[in-house]
Amino acid sequence: LQGSLTSLSSVTLINPGGGSLGETVFTTQWSPDGNYLAIGGRFYGSSSTGDRDIQIYQFDRINGSLSLVASANPGGASYVDRAFSMSWSGDGRYLAVGGAFPYSAPYTDAFILYQFDTTANTLLQVASLNPEGGSTSLENFAVVDWSSDGQHIVIAGRFNT
């Protein structure tokens, strides 16, 4: 760290869902180049935007501001999905996301891999994993992390047996 925490010149408050009751940030991850901040959690959207449980903000280094550039709602259901863990690939092209199953049907994938296009500012789902095929024995994937060579992803979670 350069300087000390007492010398920070600004703090940016992000309100991912607009401040609705029950919204929670569970994870944040800076991209490897430091130009983007991914935020995951449980955020309620409006009727026009829908829920956006994964949000990508671009960081403006000159004025220290963050601007929302991309978002996704992995499960599509309006009240059940949560993003618990995220990890960028070393090149910043992919974002691995671990999350929670809904407590009732329809079941969603607990792990999703997105490709992030910095030119178009889009998240494109390229892979997903639901190892239990819809069973409630897997409750969530709480940890995801890339290997240092970018060839492997570790996924860990909580099983309900």
Side-chain angles (χ1 to χ4, degrees):
L1 278 178
Q2 294 180 3
S4 68
L5 292 180
T6 57
S7 67
L8 288 175
S9 60
S10 67
V11 174
T12 301
L13 176 64
I14 298 174
N15 189 354
S20 299
L21 179 65
E23 295 180 338
T24 305
V25 173
F26 291 112
T27 182
T28 61
Q29 285 288 312
W30 285 101
S31 63
D33 64 6
N35 290 327
Y36 296 93
L37 177 66
I39 296 177
R42 179 70 204 105
F43 315 125
Y44 303 101
S46 68
S47 58
S48 61
T49 64
D51 292 349
R52 302 180 303 183
D53 297 330
I54 300 165
Q55 299 180 9
I56 308 293
Y57 291 82
Q58 187 169 24
F59 180 58
D60 182 333
R61 292 175 186 271
I62 294 175
N63 66 22
S65 65
L66 293 165
S67 302
L68 180 67
V69 295
S71 62
N73 183 29
S78 62
Y79 57 93
V80 292
D81 303 317
R82 289 157 181 82
F84 285 139
S85 180
M86 297 184 296
S87 181
W88 290 94
S89 61
D91 61 8
R93 293 182 52 216
Y94 296 94
L95 181 66
V97 178
F101 275 118
Y103 292 105
S104 61
Y107 298 103
T108 61
D109 297 316
F111 169 79
I112 298 176
L113 182 63
Y114 290 97
Q115 182 175 13
F116 179 55
D117 182 339
T118 58
T119 304
N121 288 327
T122 56
L123 285 168
L124 173 66
Q125 182 177 326
V126 295
S128 65
L129 178 64
N130 177 346
E132 296 296 311
S135 166
T136 57
S137 65
L138 177 66
E139 193 170 291
N140 65 61
F141 281 136
V143 177
V144 296
D145 198 13
W146 288 87
S147 63
S148 59
D149 65 4
Q151 298 299 306
H152 307 280
I153 302 172
V154 65
I155 306 167
R158 176 177 182 222
F159 285 83
N160 237 352
T161 56

PDB file of all heavy atoms in Angstrom, residues 2 7 42 51 79 148:
ATOM      1  N   GLN A   2       0.487   2.171  -0.828  1.00  0.00           N
ATOM      2  CA  GLN A   2       1.159   3.460  -0.794  1.00  0.00           C
ATOM      3  C   GLN A   2       0.394   4.358   0.162  1.00  0.00           C
ATOM      4  O   GLN A   2      -0.823   4.455   0.076  1.00  0.00           O
ATOM      5  CB  GLN A   2       1.196   4.077  -2.174  1.00  0.00           C
ATOM      6  CG  GLN A   2       2.051   3.303  -3.146  1.00  0.00           C
ATOM      7  CD  GLN A   2       2.061   3.960  -4.509  1.00  0.00           C
ATOM      8  OE1 GLN A   2       1.480   5.015  -4.708  1.00  0.00           O
ATOM      9  NE2 GLN A   2       2.727   3.335  -5.450  1.00  0.00           N
ATOM     10  N   SER A   7      -4.940   8.427   4.798  1.00  0.00           N
ATOM     11  CA  SER A   7      -4.701   9.427   3.761  1.00  0.00           C
ATOM     12  C   SER A   7      -5.554   9.186   2.510  1.00  0.00           C
ATOM     13  O   SER A   7      -5.312   9.800   1.486  1.00  0.00           O
ATOM     14  CB  SER A   7      -3.219   9.458   3.382  1.00  0.00           C
ATOM     15  OG  SER A   7      -2.854   8.248   2.741  1.00  0.00           O
ATOM     16  N   ARG A  42     -27.306 -10.163  -3.458  1.00  0.00           N
ATOM     17  CA  ARG A  42     -28.755 -10.305  -3.636  1.00  0.00           C
ATOM     18  C   ARG A  42     -29.330  -8.909  -3.744  1.00  0.00           C
ATOM     19  O   ARG A  42     -29.441  -8.193  -2.748  1.00  0.00           O
ATOM     20  CB  ARG A  42     -29.330 -11.034  -2.413  1.00  0.00           C
ATOM     21  CG  ARG A  42     -30.809 -11.212  -2.465  1.00  0.00           C
ATOM     22  CD  ARG A  42     -31.182 -12.243  -3.544  1.00  0.00           C
ATOM     23  NE  ARG A  42     -32.531 -12.024  -3.983  1.00  0.00           N
ATOM     24  CZ  ARG A  42     -32.858 -11.466  -5.143  1.00  0.00           C
ATOM     25  NH1 ARG A  42     -31.938 -11.067  -5.969  1.00  0.00           N
ATOM     26  NH2 ARG A  42     -34.097 -11.317  -5.489  1.00  0.00           N
ATOM     27  N   ASP A  51     -33.840  -8.124 -11.525  1.00  0.00           N
ATOM     28  CA  ASP A  51     -32.767  -8.286 -10.556  1.00  0.00           C
ATOM     29  C   ASP A  51     -31.432  -8.321 -11.284  1.00  0.00           C
ATOM     30  O   ASP A  51     -31.342  -8.800 -12.402  1.00  0.00           O
ATOM     31  CB  ASP A  51     -32.940  -9.586  -9.777  1.00  0.00           C
ATOM     32  CG  ASP A  51     -34.157  -9.550  -8.875  1.00  0.00           C
ATOM     33  OD1 ASP A  51     -34.722  -8.460  -8.706  1.00  0.00           O
ATOM     34  OD2 ASP A  51     -34.530 -10.609  -8.365  1.00  0.00           O
ATOM     35  N   TYR A  79     -36.544 -13.712  -6.603  1.00  0.00           N
ATOM     36  CA  TYR A  79     -36.412 -13.635  -5.155  1.00  0.00           C
ATOM     37  C   TYR A  79     -35.519 -14.697  -4.541  1.00  0.00           C
ATOM     38  O   TYR A  79     -35.484 -14.829  -3.331  1.00  0.00           O
ATOM     39  CB  TYR A  79     -37.790 -13.737  -4.507  1.00  0.00           C
ATOM     40  CG  TYR A  79     -38.524 -14.997  -4.876  1.00  0.00           C
ATOM     41  CD1 TYR A  79     -38.443 -16.136  -4.096  1.00  0.00           C
ATOM     42  CD2 TYR A  79     -39.280 -15.041  -6.043  1.00  0.00           C
ATOM     43  CE1 TYR A  79     -39.090 -17.293  -4.460  1.00  0.00           C
ATOM     44  CE2 TYR A  79     -39.937 -16.196  -6.402  1.00  0.00           C
ATOM     45  CZ  TYR A  79     -39.842 -17.315  -5.606  1.00  0.00           C
ATOM     46  OH  TYR A  79     -40.495 -18.455  -5.974  1.00  0.00           O
ATOM     47  N   SER A 148      -3.414 -20.372 -10.653  1.00  0.00           N
ATOM     48  CA  SER A 148      -2.527 -19.302 -11.115  1.00  0.00           C
ATOM     49  C   SER A 148      -2.246 -19.378 -12.612  1.00  0.00           C
ATOM     50  O   SER A 148      -1.985 -18.359 -13.248  1.00  0.00           O
ATOM     51  CB  SER A 148      -1.215 -19.313 -10.331  1.00  0.00           C
ATOM     52  OG  SER A 148      -0.576 -20.558 -10.490  1.00  0.00           O
TER      53      SER A 148
END
